[in-house]
Amino acid sequence: MADLNNRIDFVYIFDVQDGNPNGDPDAGNLPRVDAETGNGIVTDVCLKRKVRNYIQTAKGAEPGYDIFIKERAVLDNMVEQVYKFESVKAEKDSAKQKALAKKALCDTYYDIRAFGAVIATSKKQDQVRGPIQFTFARSVEPITPIEHSITRMAVTKEADVDKERTMGRKSTVPYGLYVAHGFVSANLAKQTGFTEEDLNLLWEALKNMFENDHSAARGLMSPRKILAFKHDSELGNAPASKLFDLVQIKRKDEVGVARKFEDYKIILDKDKIPENVTLMEII
């Protein structure tokens, strides 16, 4: 497997139609929103969860692609299992054993290899810094969360058959175009064993993760664009912020209220991309 030798900064653009992309449990599960600007928010944790779910579905049965942070996982047991590997158990020096266990965890779990992990169990405390990081995604324009009244036709108990239908609430965003930024550290990739093949799998996940995560609550979510800036060195050749500033998203002049991706235009100033940085259009 090929090592990663180049820093990469990327822009991930996706949208939602008539759905709730990331509910806030502190606000009755309403779509997350910046209270000062009204722009919608999707957390980095939410995006990583969708990547994890896709990897688990697509590659989970293959060695090296298990997921560490997953539903009903008992992390104590998973870490202890690694310490029972023959290669780890045979090492008597505690510091070397700890290093072998960290490597075994990275080799076994894709999400540790990619995102890192805080390994805080009842017996062992450690941390792995991952090469892949996301920012929060923010909507290009303020969103308008809408609450809908819904009714339930069925009842749980026979005694409630003759009662009136139960009323409920459902929150959606009519339309929102969101932008997240991501970073790939070649230096940290070497420490966790994250390879070019792993990176290609990340692109695959970002392109397809919404297709395997449909639900009534989330409506229609779709990836729209992934623009990656590949530096010709491990440490990078330009500040990520200056590269991200080259990508501008604006609503078309003739559009009053945006309700689809085609209502926007993406403007990329390719002439200002440094010579030692290569643009990759993943989507």
Side-chain angles (χ1 to χ4, degrees):
M1 292 188 177
D3 290 340
L4 273 179
N5 296 306
N6 307 84
R7 195 187 98 192
I8 298 173
D9 305 305
F10 62 92
V11 181
Y12 183 53
I13 302 170
F14 63 95
D15 62 2
V16 59
Q17 180 179 336
D18 297 324
N20 184 350
N22 187 199
D24 185 350
D26 289 330
N29 210 43
L30 287 168
R32 295 180 188 271
V33 66
D34 183 323
E36 293 185 324
T37 67
N39 291 73
I41 292 174
V42 174
T43 66
D44 59 328
V45 176
C46 176
L47 296 174
K48 289 178 180 179
R49 176 75 271 153
K50 295 182 190 305
V51 171
R52 285 183 169 103
N53 290 348
Y54 177 83
I55 301 298
Q56 188 173 4
T57 300
K59 304 276 285 187
E62 298 182 28
Y65 294 96
D66 199 357
I67 297 298
F68 187 66
I69 304 298
K70 56 188 175 185
E71 187 175 2
R72 302 183 67 82
V74 181
L75 302 187
D76 270 13
N77 294 346
M78 297 167 76
V79 173
E80 285 300 324
Q81 186 177 8
V82 166
Y83 273 87
K84 292 177 182 177
F85 288 2
E86 287 300 327
S87 58
V88 178
K89 187 169 60 174
E91 179 57 60
K92 302 304 179 185
D93 182 274
S94 60
K96 292 181 179 178
Q97 186 185 57
K98 189 175 184 179
L100 287 172
K102 285 176 69 172
K103 183 179 184 304
L105 285 166
C106 290
D107 291 344
T108 303
Y109 299 105
Y110 178 90
D111 57 334
I112 293 183
R113 204 159 62 243
F115 304 133
V118 176
I119 305 166
T121 70
S122 57
K123 297 180 181 179
K124 299 172 177 66
Q125 307 291 321
D126 209 343
Q127 182 177 3
V128 178
R129 289 188 62 199
I132 309 298
Q133 296 301 330
F134 292 98
T135 66
F136 279 22
R138 284 182 170 271
S139 64
V140 175
E141 297 185 285
I143 61 171
T144 306
I146 297 176
E147 279 199 289
H148 310 271
S149 296
I150 56 176
T151 57
R152 184 187 185 194
M153 300 294 294
V155 296
T156 303
K157 301 176 182 178
E158 188 172 353
D160 297 331
V161 168
D162 296 326
K163 291 184 179 180
E164 293 185 3
R165 297 172 183 173
T166 304
M167 301 295 292
R169 308 288 289 176
K170 182 176 183 178
S171 301
T172 65
V173 175
Y175 184 79
L177 185 63
Y178 290 75
V179 181
H181 297 105
F183 312 91
V184 182
S185 166
N187 178 49
L188 291 176
K190 287 182 172 59
Q191 295 181 32
T192 67
F194 190 85
T195 64
E196 287 277 2
E197 289 78 6
D198 288 330
L199 179 60
N200 290 333
L201 185 57
L202 175 68
W203 300 140
E204 180 185 321
L206 291 175
K207 288 190 288 185
N208 297 297
M209 63 188 188
F210 296 128
E211 296 299 323
N212 294 274
D213 191 54
H214 291 302
S215 76
R218 279 183 280 278
L220 180 60
M221 296 186 67
S222 307
R224 293 299 185 175
K225 202 77 174 172
I226 304 176
L227 299 171
F229 298 95
K230 183 178 181 179
H231 302 251
D232 70 0
S233 69
E234 186 174 302
L235 296 179
N237 306 97
S241 59
K242 291 188 178 297
L243 296 175
F244 295 152
D245 286 344
L246 300 179
V247 182
Q248 300 292 323
I249 304 174
K250 296 182 179 180
R251 179 160 34 97
K252 294 178 180 177
D253 294 337
E254 66 274 16
V255 175
V257 179
R259 283 294 181 266
K260 58 184 183 297
F261 178 63
E262 290 74 18
D263 289 339
Y264 291 93
K265 55 185 177 181
I266 298 176
I267 304 168
L268 173 59
D269 195 344
K270 294 183 179 181
D271 293 337
K272 292 185 179 179
I273 299 176
E275 292 183 0
N276 44 15
V277 176
T278 302
L279 173 67
M280 301 188 300
E281 295 194 44
I282 310 299
I283 297 180

